[in-house]
């Protein structure tokens, strides 16, 4: 077992990071709901595959993943820690490889995957997701009336 040299403040900060229901994820879900779309949260799109999507549109077969810039190695915002750099680089690269594998497995099963970075505007991401969902279930989309 590898023991990491880390400070208590770093350990506390990293362990308190939310893995679900983050602010970005909640904002995206609110925007999708406001646009009239209904979905499931934190579901496994494929039985027997231990990968959970943040938002799932079952009938349209669209899985949405909200990825954190640090944990998934955002090309714009990723930073490589100086302390325990080999450990973190390996961990983040494994996350990236798992993400690619997840996308491939879902695609092979007829699913569309949408990756949303935490730095993206929730409104813009919701528009992108909605267009994909509506395109994949053309007979079911109808305009949403505003009040």
């Amino acid at each position: 077992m590898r023991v990491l040299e880390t400070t208590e403040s770093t350990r506390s900060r990293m362990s308190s990071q939310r893995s679900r229901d983050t602010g970005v994820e909640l904002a995206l879900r609110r925007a999708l709901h406001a646009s009239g779309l209904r979905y499931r949260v934190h579901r496994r799109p494929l039985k027997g595959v231990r990968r959970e999507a943040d938002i799932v549109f079952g009938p349209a077969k669209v899985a949405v993943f909200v990825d954190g810039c640090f944990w998934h190695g955002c090309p714009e915002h990723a930073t490589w820690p100086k302390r325990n750099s080999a450990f973190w680089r390996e961990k983040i690269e494994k996350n990236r490889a798992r993400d690619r594998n997840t996308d491939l497995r879902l695609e092979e099963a007829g699913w569309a995957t949408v990756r949303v970075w935490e730095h993206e505007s929730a409104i813009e991401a919701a528009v992108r997701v909605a267009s994909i969902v509506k395109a994949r279930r053309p007979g079911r989309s109808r305009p949403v009336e505003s009040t």
Side-chain angles (χ1 to χ4, degrees), residues 80-98:
W80 298 108
K82 290 176 180 44
R83 182 174 288 209
N84 300 312
S85 60
F87 168 83
W88 287 111
R89 184 169 295 274
E90 180 182 340
K91 175 152 184 60
I92 292 167
E93 290 301 336
K94 282 182 180 178
N95 288 348
R96 287 175 163 175
R98 187 185 62 243

Side-chain angles (χ1 to χ4, degrees), residues 9-98:
S9 65
T10 300
R11 182 180 298 110
S12 175
R13 186 176 65 250
M14 295 308 247
S15 65
S16 69
Q17 295 292 313
R18 297 181 68 97
S19 62
R20 58 191 308 163
D21 300 331
T22 63
V24 177
E25 187 182 326
L26 294 174
L28 176 60
R29 289 183 352 211
R30 279 192 296 272
L32 290 168
H33 193 272
S35 72
L37 294 174
R38 300 301 178 256
Y39 47 82
R40 301 282 184 234
V41 296
H42 302 288
R43 296 283 172 101
R44 292 180 182 174
L46 297 177
K47 290 182 180 178
V49 178
R50 293 183 54 217
R51 311 284 166 81
E52 185 179 275
D54 297 307
I55 302 169
V56 176
F57 296 90
K61 287 190 164 188
V62 176
V64 180
F65 298 87
V66 181
D67 293 338
C69 291
F70 175 78
W71 299 104
H72 295 268
C74 171
E76 289 182 47
H77 302 107
T79 57
W80 298 108
K82 290 176 180 44
R83 182 174 288 209
N84 300 312
S85 60
F87 168 83
W88 287 111
R89 184 169 295 274
E90 180 182 340
K91 175 152 184 60
I92 292 167
E93 290 301 336
K94 282 182 180 178
N95 288 348
R96 287 175 163 175
R98 187 185 62 243

